Amino acid sequence: MQRQIAAGLFFAFIAVACGASESASGQFTATQNCEAFSSFAKRSNPGAVQVAAGTSYTVREINKVDYDWLRVDVPGAEPSLRWVQRSCGTPALTAQSAKAPAGQAGGESCSIANKQDSYVLAITWQPGFCEHASYNGKKPECDALGSGKLEAKTLSLHGLWPNKKECGTHYGGCEGPAFALTKETIDKVAPWMPNFYFERSFGAYEWNKHGKCQALPPDEYFIKAVSAVRVVNDSEVGKIVLGSAGKSFRVGEFFDRVKARYGEQVASSITLVCTQRKYLQEIRVALPLDFSTGGELPQLVGNAPAPAPREIGCDDQVLVEAAGRN
């Protein structure tokens, strides 16, 4: 019996060893704020560390060949090596570590323009992002919010992301025209994407990562994205968030209100994204390929594809950071 146990332990050890992490190199650019774990199996996160959207990190390991976790170097964290979910951003690995199964991130089919089958509209609650993201002075709109020079009066555009079913969130990085906007477009976008008041680096990042994967030129793409945000801002969704600034709401009550106002199709198309499990950071809306911004929220959502998860990283009670200076 003891020999059987020992043999079992030996083969269990071999199985674990075969599934061990693999060395990797390259960069990982976060497209959202996500927890950075010292151990993703135990979900341990000393210091409540997060990677920040728009920031690149050096990759040290991946959890397996067809990886879904990357170990990156997070400056200032203790320990500095942290595990981050692949779906949190865009990996750019080198050599063998860059290989992935067909249909997943890195495959050529996931970076060919105009192959999208739907969209995701990512909308930021700017005070929630700025208060809890480690932006280290790299977000002038956040500095302006903190100093009182800028006030969040509406929801803000994070990005309009073309999606392709077999690629999931990894559809992006397509070839396309360079990022360039007219002054008229910049003036129209800035109130809804406040980074545009100060610089255009984030806009360029969103265009290069997502915008090039669809057919609209940059001006039309950003105007259409802003028009979609305005529809959400003026809807029951915007009323709940703006009306809760400095307070909180329950996730269940949020979706009950949206469902009561617009029905199940609209409610199931929305995902709430939180940081530190309790602060509202983002609202994502699943949109169909041919979405229209000429009506209200049901017309925008239309026949959106399969329902999205209703929340990512949110506890039942969600806090909405105050819109003005504290």
Side-chain angles (χ1 to χ4, degrees):
M1 180 67 179
Q2 288 181 334
R3 287 183 178 180
Q4 290 177 326
I5 293 174
L9 290 173
F10 172 77
F11 286 112
F13 170 77
I14 293 296
V16 170
C18 291
S21 62
E22 303 216 359
S23 297
S25 60
Q27 294 293 310
F28 177 78
T29 302
T31 55
Q32 54 187 298
N33 293 342
C34 297
E35 284 197 84
F37 299 103
S38 57
S39 168
F40 65 82
K42 297 179 180 179
R43 292 299 195 271
S44 53
N45 183 5
V49 175
Q50 290 191 324
V51 292
T55 302
S56 292
Y57 301 87
T58 300
V59 177
R60 302 299 185 189
E61 294 178 66
I62 52 178
N63 67 318
K64 53 185 178 179
V65 174
D66 55 336
Y67 63 99
D68 49 5
W69 290 88
L70 304 94
R71 201 177 193 192
V72 301
D73 195 345
V74 182
E78 182 58 46
S80 63
L81 293 181
R82 298 297 182 112
W83 290 99
V84 182
Q85 282 187 302
R86 178 178 184 157
S87 60
C88 179
T90 304
L93 306 187
T94 59
Q96 293 299 314
S97 64
K99 292 186 177 180
Q104 290 194 12
E108 290 183 5
S109 66
C110 294
S111 59
I112 299 176
N114 303 316
K115 299 296 183 182
Q116 72 272 23
D117 50 38
S118 60
Y119 286 87
V120 170
L121 177 67
I123 300 171
T124 300
W125 176 239
Q126 201 73 44
F129 168 79
C130 291
E131 184 67 25
H132 301 286
S134 301
Y135 62 89
N136 299 324
K138 296 180 180 179
K139 300 288 184 183
E141 66 274 25
C142 290
D143 292 332
L145 278 173
S147 67
K149 293 180 180 179
L150 186 66
E151 184 177 359
K153 297 180 180 179
T154 67
L155 303 177
S156 299
L157 172 65
H158 175 172
L160 177 62
W161 305 338
N163 267 13
K164 186 179 177 184
K165 185 176 181 180
E166 59 265 38
C167 304
T169 57
H170 302 296
Y171 182 56
C174 305
E175 293 293 326
F179 175 74
L181 299 177
T182 65
K183 184 180 184 304
E184 181 182 9
T185 296
I186 292 170
D187 291 342
K188 289 180 179 179
V189 172
W192 300 93
M193 200 172 189
N195 178 265
F196 274 39
Y197 282 125
F198 308 97
E199 60 185 17
R200 255 67 73 193
S201 59
F202 184 59
Y205 171 82
E206 286 295 307
W207 172 256
N208 291 331
K209 175 64 176 74
H210 301 286
K212 287 183 177 181
C213 287
Q214 50 76 63
L216 292 176
D219 287 289
E220 293 181 37
Y221 168 78
F222 279 96
I223 292 296
K224 187 170 186 178
V226 161
S227 297
V229 173
R230 294 184 69 163
V231 173
V232 179
N233 186 78
D234 295 342
S235 73
E236 190 72 16
V237 174
K239 290 177 183 177
I240 296 171
V241 174
L242 294 169
S244 302
K247 298 178 291 186
S248 64
F249 62 78
R250 292 190 177 278
V251 170
E253 292 175 356
F254 172 93
F255 285 101
D256 285 345
R257 281 181 61 177
V258 175
K259 183 177 178 180
R261 179 72 175 83
Y262 304 114
E264 179 63 33
Q265 174 70 18
V266 172
S268 67
S269 72
I270 297 171
T271 301
L272 300 176
V273 182
C274 299
T275 183
Q276 298 179 32
R277 300 209 62 83
K278 60 182 178 180
Y279 298 105
L280 180 67
Q281 175 180 316
E282 193 164 280
I283 302 154
R284 296 180 188 169
V285 185
L287 302 179
L289 182 62
D290 58 347
F291 74 90
S292 170
T293 61
E296 296 187 1
L297 191 54
Q299 288 72 48
L300 178 69
V301 169
N303 61 338
R310 74 175 196 168
E311 56 82 16
I312 297 176
C314 300
D315 288 334
D316 180 57
Q317 192 86 11
V318 174
L319 302 176
V320 183
E321 289 288 354
R325 185 179 182 183
N326 294 330

